[in-house]
Amino acid sequence: AQKVTQAQTEISVVEKEDVTLDCVYETRDTTYYLFWYKQPPSGELVFLIRRNSFDEQNEISGRYSWNFQKSTSSFNFTITASQVVDSAVYFCALSEPNSGNTPLVFGKGTRLSVIA
Amino acid sequence: DAGVIQSPRHEVTEMGQEVTLRCKPISGHDYLFWYRQTMMRGLELLIYFNNNVPIDDSGMPEDRFSAKMPNASFSTLKIQPSEPRDSAVYFCASSSTGIEQYFGPGTRLTVT
């Protein structure tokens, strides 16, 4: 069965600190996709990144970076030099479309508070 | 280009009333998903459609919930009769491939 675990329920950092949000997943499929979404206080879900199981290259987008490690079934998200606008709930999610499990299975989310 | 459109954005209703939530997917997207977000259960799938056909409705809580997609540009999620435990944020999402999903702003439902 699919499962996504975000062990950190809440994190609080001071502005300009780096912060890493952890995500561990479980799947029996060899083909799957991993995602991160951001949910700011306004409530919408904003797509941040998608990774497929065959691409373990780390990705950097501005202050955001993602570390995908199949050996540990982890897909961690790091924000460098955090800003107040980064305050949000961040969700990691998993999809196995080749097994018919197209919908996203979400973790419980990590609430990040960045304090000025 | 417009994103996923949901209406209403907020709905307050009394227990026992019928509630209809609406969603317009992104044009050209063949997949449409309904998710529900609650504090207790987080984000969970209710049902999804591919080419207007329901594919998986195993997440629909009970017979009080029903969803339809009469055409490629419109879907409804209906709760009849509504109960206080249905209070949640209901998200609609659409996708062209079934992989990358784009979410609407959500409908916050409060049942008193």
Side-chain angles (χ1 to χ4, degrees), chain A residues 35 37 39 102-104 108, chain B residues 35 37 41 45 98-99 101:
Chain A
F35 304 80
Y37 282 84
Q39 188 173 41
T102 297
L104 298 170
K108 294 296 187 185
Chain B
Y35 292 88
Q37 185 177 31
R41 300 175 64 90
L45 176 79
I99 298 173
Q101 298 177 26

Side-chain angles (χ1 to χ4, degrees), chain A residues 84-98:
Chain A
V84 172
V85 293
D86 297 327
S87 297
V89 181
Y90 291 86
F91 292 94
C92 182
L94 169 70
S95 171
E96 298 172 327
N98 288 4

Side-chain angles (χ1 to χ4, degrees), chain A residues 33 35 37 39 42-45 47 50 91 95 97 100-108 111, chain B residues 9 31 33 35 37 40-45 48 56 91 97-105:
Chain A
Y33 293 84
F35 304 80
Y37 282 84
Q39 188 173 41
S42 51
E44 70 270 27
L45 281 162
F47 167 80
R50 178 192 80 191
F91 292 94
S95 171
N101 297 322
T102 297
L104 298 170
V105 173
F106 286 90
K108 294 296 187 185
R111 181 178 299 277
Chain B
R9 294 293 308 278
Y31 290 83
F33 304 81
Y35 292 88
Q37 185 177 31
M40 292 297 296
R41 300 175 64 90
L43 275 157
E44 53 183 352
L45 176 79
Y48 83 97
D56 182 358
F91 287 100
T97 62
I99 298 173
E100 201 163 293
Q101 298 177 26
Y102 295 90
F103 284 77

Side-chain angles (χ1 to χ4, degrees), chain B residues 15-95:
Chain B
M15 180 176 154
Q17 297 298 306
E18 177 180 296
V19 175
T20 299
L21 311 182
R22 297 172 175 81
C23 175
K24 177 179 170 55
I26 294 171
S27 178
H29 282 192
D30 295 329
Y31 290 83
L32 185 140
F33 304 81
W34 283 100
Y35 292 88
R36 180 172 67 175
Q37 185 177 31
T38 61
M39 289 295 294
M40 292 297 296
R41 300 175 64 90
L43 275 157
E44 53 183 352
L45 176 79
L46 297 177
I47 185 171
Y48 83 97
F49 297 83
N50 183 19
N51 292 320
N52 311 338
V53 176
I55 304 300
D56 182 358
D57 65 354
S58 60
M60 295 286 264
E62 47 199 91
D63 292 345
R64 298 184 298 105
F65 285 68
S66 62
K68 293 182 180 180
M69 192 163 187
N71 57 62
S73 59
F74 184 65
S75 176
T76 59
L77 177 68
K78 186 176 292 186
I79 308 172
Q80 166 64 14
S82 57
E83 296 183 1
R85 60 188 168 129
D86 302 330
S87 297
V89 180
Y90 291 81
F91 287 100
C92 176
S94 72
S95 174

Side-chain angles (χ1 to χ4, degrees), chain A:
Chain A
Q2 303 168 286
K3 187 177 178 182
V4 176
T5 302
Q6 294 180 255
Q8 305 149 307
T9 305
E10 292 191 34
I11 300 176
S12 184
V13 299
V14 176
E15 202 171 23
K16 297 184 183 177
E17 285 185 357
D18 299 347
V19 58
T20 295
L21 310 182
D22 297 334
C23 173
V24 175
Y25 62 93
E26 292 179 30
T27 176
R28 293 183 180 179
D29 210 337
T30 56
T31 302
Y32 53 90
Y33 293 84
L34 294 163
F35 304 80
W36 277 94
Y37 282 84
K38 174 182 179 179
Q39 188 173 41
S42 51
E44 70 270 27
L45 281 162
V46 179
F47 167 80
L48 294 178
I49 190 172
R50 178 192 80 191
R51 245 355 199 190
N52 74 56
S53 52
F54 298 107
D55 183 1
E56 284 193 76
Q57 272 194 331
N58 292 331
E59 182 157 340
I60 298 175
S61 175
R63 295 183 299 106
Y64 295 171
S65 62
W66 290 270
N67 183 358
F68 176 29
Q69 291 195 344
K70 289 177 75 170
S71 60
T72 56
S73 296
S74 65
F75 185 43
N76 297 338
F77 173 30
T78 297
I79 302 175
T80 302
S82 59
Q83 300 176 1
V84 172
V85 293
D86 297 327
S87 297
V89 181
Y90 291 86
F91 292 94
C92 182
L94 169 70
S95 171
E96 298 172 327
N98 288 4
S99 299
N101 297 322
T102 297
L104 298 170
V105 173
F106 286 90
K108 294 296 187 185
T110 297
R111 181 178 299 277
L112 173 65
S113 298
V114 181
I115 304 165

